[in-house]
Amino acid sequence: MHNAIINITNLRLRTFIGFNDEEREKKQDVVINIEIHYPADIECVQLDEVEHALNYKTITKSVIKLVENGHFLLLEKLVADILAQCHIHPDVTFARVRVDKPHALRFADSVSLTLEWQKKRNID
């Protein structure tokens, strides 16, 4: 069994993020980075069978829909909601999401927040 790691890098989207009046009325840029771990079984790795792989395009589409249609007061809520989309698939064992909000502070390139999720192991 292999541990596969999918990285979605610098997904640039626009959403309503923040609680100031201007932020609630005008979409802002966000940059999303996602890391997803899952077990890649032998069919996926050696036999090149698509049905045994995790479909990163499906995950990305759900994240795009969530972000572009959402209204978020806090960066924490946005990141938590994206993270939840990343571990819906039962094979996911770990996920990490980082969202950058460019130009959130005057003298900084961006402000970012990262959250992680890990599947609990069954201990018998």
Side-chain angles (χ1 to χ4, degrees):
M1 183 75 60
H2 300 284
N3 185 40
I5 301 172
I6 293 173
N7 287 290
I8 301 167
T9 306
N10 295 335
L11 179 62
R12 290 174 173 81
L13 301 174
R14 295 182 59 75
T15 193
F16 293 99
I17 177 75
F19 49 85
N20 296 325
D21 289 340
E22 183 178 314
E23 293 173 317
R24 295 175 61 110
E25 297 169 2
K26 182 180 170 190
K27 283 189 173 185
Q28 297 180 64
D29 294 329
V30 292
V31 181
I32 301 166
N33 287 279
I34 299 171
E35 178 180 327
I36 300 170
H37 296 214
Y38 73 100
D41 61 22
I42 200 74
E43 288 84 7
C44 172
V45 175
Q46 292 183 349
L47 302 179
D48 201 25
E49 293 183 0
V50 175
E51 63 273 7
H52 296 283
L54 190 65
N55 189 335
Y56 57 83
K57 192 171 186 177
T58 301
I59 294 168
T60 303
K61 283 182 177 183
S62 69
V63 168
I64 291 169
K65 182 178 180 182
L66 169 81
V67 172
E68 290 188 338
N69 295 328
H71 288 76
F72 306 92
L73 296 177
L74 299 173
L75 197 52
E76 290 85 346
K77 175 65 172 156
L78 172 59
V79 178
D81 287 358
I82 294 170
L83 186 62
Q85 291 296 312
C86 295
H87 63 79
I88 287 175
H89 193 284
D91 288 341
V92 173
T93 58
F94 174 86
R96 176 184 294 126
V97 173
R98 173 182 164 164
V99 176
D100 284 82
K101 187 177 171 184
H103 314 296
L105 293 174
R106 184 174 175 192
F107 297 111
D109 291 337
S110 71
V111 172
S112 68
L113 181 85
T114 303
L115 291 175
E116 298 178 350
W117 172 89
Q118 186 160 356
K119 183 180 272 188
K120 293 180 181 173
R121 295 181 186 204
N122 291 334
I123 302 174
D124 295 347

